[in-house]
């Protein structure tokens, strides 16, 4: 946990010191190009790798009654047997995180009225679902809002998003709700790993690192907008020059901006090789995207070796004489088989 | 590769979305400078250029609070000079060209401040 925090701080410090010492083009120009290329190629490599892995059998996780007799009602989304059912399941999974919604928590209680003694109870726990949903949607909105620096003129839908996001009209620059919710949700996701003993036990550096990294990105972003500002007109000129492949001077842009950019680039570089690939992985997960139709269709493993059959007729042909000698019953007597 | 059709479609969609900033940039206009026109008759704003460029919104917000909530109409700048806290009479006296000054950066960066829900847009009053 501390190690990944230190790593994020180190990356930030290197970017800060580097851009303050005059190496801003390195962090602001070279690194973003590299990170974008690595991210796109890395993700494609991941997807091809997954697509090459055969999934011969149906292994969906089922959350309801599978298709059975006509009078037994099937859970069409939780245990789909058709493509339409799988589609509905995937859409709900990707847009609403349906499987997280079913998250339960187990607790050992000293006294349960049901058993009149100690026992384990399971209860619905929606916190993870709630904050995960908040995090992902706010992240998406924040990501989309950044397009104002990449497009000239700014598309109307971005302005519309910003109007909704800043509808509270607090302060100037206007307070955007998504940024704050994003930070709160990230702190929840971190806190849950720190304060839940069971989760803390199974949390590794590669769980903490993306969280700290995202907190770093959101923190520097909020800082750049509300506290230690840099002039966004200049930032837009700079970003547009990058997307036109003719980078301009980084003069006059605050080092904090390059810390923000460097952390985002770290995220891009890190994504294809970490758990953050769930962005593409959710589409490839066979426990979600397969129809549970094992009862209707026979799925044969394609790389099974060819079977060595030895039928009874062949067996009798092989051992007929010996069997006749031992007096065993035969389908064909030796004299008839010779004909 | 299994399910090649779906996977390749997905990869193409992913690549196009990820490179969208470059396509949008190449298809749209370039943005090389803000193109703001500075007031001609005055060379110095109430604070330094760097401060005004990045913090003018914060200053305006503080001015609003000072004037309307604190009833304080005097602002002392860094250099000790005193200014009257008034958007209409202090800021807009020099920055009278709304379209060539405020709008230039604001529109390009999709900033739509709500100054003008109370104040009168300069140039539209008559």
């Amino acid at each position: 946990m501390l190690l990944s925090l230190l790593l994020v701080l180190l990356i930030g410090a290197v970017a800060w010191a580097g851009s303050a010492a005059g190496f801003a083009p390195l962090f602001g120009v070279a690194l973003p190009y590299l990170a974008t290329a690595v991210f796109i190629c890395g993700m494609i490599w991941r997807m091809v790798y997954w697509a090459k892995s055969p999934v011969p059998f149906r292994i969906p996780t089922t959350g309801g009654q599978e298709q059975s007799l006509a009078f037994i009602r099937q859970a069409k989304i939780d245990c789909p047997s058709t493509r339409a059912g799988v589609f509905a399941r995937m859409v709900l999974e990707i847009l609403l995180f349906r499987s997280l919604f079913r998250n339960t928590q187990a607790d050992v209680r000293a006294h349960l009225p049901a058993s009149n003694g100690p026992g384990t109870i399971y209860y619905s726990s929606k916190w993870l679902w709630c904050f995960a949903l908040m995090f992902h949607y706010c992240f998406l909105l924040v990501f989309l809002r950044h397009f104002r620096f990449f497009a000239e003129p700014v598309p109307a839908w971005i302005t519309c998003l910003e109007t909704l996001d800043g509808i509270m009209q607090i302060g100037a620059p206007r307070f955007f709700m998504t940024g704050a919710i994003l930070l709160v949700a990230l702190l929840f996701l971190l806190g849950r790993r720190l304060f839940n003993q069971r989760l803390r036990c199974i949390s590794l550096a590669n769980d903490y690192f993306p969280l700290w990294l995202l907190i770093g990105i959101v923190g520097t972003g909020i800082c750049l907008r509300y506290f230690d500002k840099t002039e966004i007109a200049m930032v837009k000129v700079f970003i547009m020059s990058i997307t036109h492949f003719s980078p301009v001077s980084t003069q006059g842009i605050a080092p904090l901006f390059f810390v923000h950019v460097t952390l985002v680039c770290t995220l891009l570089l890190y994504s294809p090789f970490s758990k953050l690939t769930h962005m593409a992985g959710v589409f490839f997960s066979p426990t979600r995207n397969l129809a549970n139709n094992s009862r209707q269709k026979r799925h044969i493993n394609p790389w099974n070796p060819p079977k060595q059959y030895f039928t009874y007729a062949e067996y009798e042909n092989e051992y007929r004489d010996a069997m006749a000698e031992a007096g065993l019953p035969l389908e064909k007597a030796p004299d008839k088989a010779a004909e | 590769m299994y399910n090649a059709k779906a996977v390749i479609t997905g990869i193409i969609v992913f690549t196009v979305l990820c490179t969208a900033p470059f396509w949008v940039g190449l298809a749209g206009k370039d943005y090389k400078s803000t193109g703001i026109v500075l007031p001609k008759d005055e060379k110095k704003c109430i604070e330094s250029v760097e401060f005004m460029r990045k913090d003018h919104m914060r200053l305006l917000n503080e001015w609003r609070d000072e004037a309307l909530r604190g009833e304080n109409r005097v602002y002392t700048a860094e250099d000790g000079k005193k200014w009257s806290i008034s958007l209409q009479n202090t800021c807009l006296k020099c920055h009278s060209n709304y379209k060539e000054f405020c709008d230039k950066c604001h529109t390009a960066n999709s900033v739509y401040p709500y100054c003008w829900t109370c104040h009168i847009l300069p140039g539209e009053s008559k």
Side-chain angles (χ1 to χ4, degrees), chain B residues 48-64:
Chain B
S48 70
V49 179
E50 291 74 38
F51 178 86
M52 291 314 290
R53 276 188 168 186
K54 53 182 206 184
D55 277 319
H56 64 274
M57 62 301 260
R58 190 190 292 167
L59 184 84
L60 288 172
N61 203 44
E62 279 166 16
W63 274 27
R64 182 199 64 185

Side-chain angles (χ1 to χ4, degrees), chain A residues 173-176 221-229, chain B residues 58:
Chain A
R174 204 177 300 188
F175 171 71
F176 281 151
I222 287 175
C223 219
L224 277 170
R225 182 172 170 82
Y226 304 106
F227 305 112
D228 187 18
K229 291 191 240 278
Chain B
R58 190 190 292 167

Side-chain angles (χ1 to χ4, degrees), chain B residues 100-115:
Chain B
E100 296 297 311
F101 188 75
C102 305
D103 250 4
K104 280 286 178 192
C105 291
H106 285 172
T107 310
N109 289 289
S110 181
V111 178
Y112 296 94
Y114 44 96
C115 311

Side-chain angles (χ1 to χ4, degrees), chain A residues 41-327:
Chain A
C41 297
M43 288 305 269
I44 291 175
W45 163 75
R46 268 280 171 184
M47 286 190 267
V48 171
Y49 173 77
W50 279 327
K52 276 184 175 164
S53 314
V55 186
F57 299 122
R58 303 276 125 165
I59 53 168
T61 46
T62 56
Q65 173 63 47
E66 74 169 312
Q67 194 190 19
S68 180
L69 300 169
F71 61 90
I72 299 174
R73 191 198 287 176
Q74 181 199 0
K76 288 212 163 101
I77 292 170
D78 286 323
C79 193
S81 56
T82 57
R83 284 182 84 109
V86 169
F87 183 78
R89 183 187 205 192
M90 288 298 283
V91 166
L92 291 173
E93 181 65 40
I94 289 161
L95 298 181
L96 297 173
F97 307 170
R98 205 151 173 276
S99 57
L100 273 189
F101 191 73
R102 277 203 297 265
N103 188 33
T104 55
Q105 185 142 8
D107 221 351
V108 179
R109 294 277 163 91
H111 180 82
L112 282 183
S115 58
N116 208 12
T120 310
I121 58 161
Y122 299 88
Y123 54 92
S124 168
S125 174
K126 304 271 185 260
W127 291 108
L128 178 60
W129 170 78
C130 177
F131 281 93
L133 206 63
M134 265 162 47
F135 164 73
H136 282 85
Y137 274 101
C138 287
F139 198 19
L140 177 69
L141 286 177
V142 170
F143 179 77
L144 291 177
R145 273 204 282 100
H146 277 75
F147 261 77
R148 70 183 169 132
F149 297 120
F150 290 87
E152 174 64 27
V154 179
W157 59 269
I158 292 177
T159 309
C160 178
L161 275 185
E162 287 180 329
T163 311
L164 286 175
D165 206 342
I167 204 161
M168 305 292 276
Q169 294 201 338
I170 298 169
R174 204 177 300 188
F175 171 71
F176 281 151
M177 285 180 282
T178 46
I181 300 174
L182 187 54
L183 190 59
V184 168
L186 274 169
L187 289 175
F188 172 84
L189 295 177
L190 180 70
R192 120 180 209 282
R193 289 197 180 276
L194 290 180
F195 298 115
N196 186 329
Q197 291 296 321
R198 276 163 284 183
L199 262 174
R200 188 172 181 155
C201 186
I202 58 166
S203 294
L204 302 169
N206 59 14
D207 296 312
Y208 290 119
F209 180 69
L211 283 171
W212 283 121
L213 193 61
L214 285 164
I215 290 172
I217 290 169
V218 175
T220 50
I222 287 175
C223 219
L224 277 170
R225 182 172 170 82
Y226 304 106
F227 305 112
D228 187 18
K229 291 191 240 278
T230 191
E231 194 203 335
I232 59 167
M234 247 143 120
V235 167
K236 178 151 186 175
V237 170
F238 175 67
I239 291 175
M240 291 296 282
S241 76
I242 289 200
T243 59
H244 282 81
F245 299 104
S246 55
V248 294
S249 158
T250 52
Q251 275 290 314
I253 301 177
L256 189 61
F257 171 75
F258 294 105
V259 175
H260 187 63
V261 169
T262 304
L263 291 178
V264 172
C265 290
T266 311
L267 186 74
L268 288 178
L269 287 169
Y270 180 69
S271 284
F273 313 103
S274 66
K275 62 190 261 185
L276 300 177
T277 37
H278 69 264
M279 180 172 120
V282 67
F283 293 95
F284 286 89
S285 53
T287 53
R288 298 268 167 257
N289 67 14
L290 290 175
N292 185 17
N293 60 0
S294 301
R295 293 256 175 118
Q296 298 142 38
K297 267 191 198 160
R298 188 170 179 215
H299 301 282
I300 295 169
N301 191 359
W303 68 89
N304 275 349
K307 285 227 160 59
Q308 297 290 318
Y309 292 110
F310 193 45
T311 61
Y312 180 73
E314 285 163 351
Y315 176 88
E316 209 183 87
N317 285 340
E318 183 81 28
Y319 300 110
R320 182 165 286 113
D321 293 340
M323 287 169 84
E325 218 171 281

Side-chain angles (χ1 to χ4, degrees), chain B residues 23-36:
Chain B
W23 302 123
V24 171
L26 291 176
K29 277 183 275 176
D30 201 351
Y31 183 71
K32 286 210 161 64
S33 74
T34 55
I36 57 169

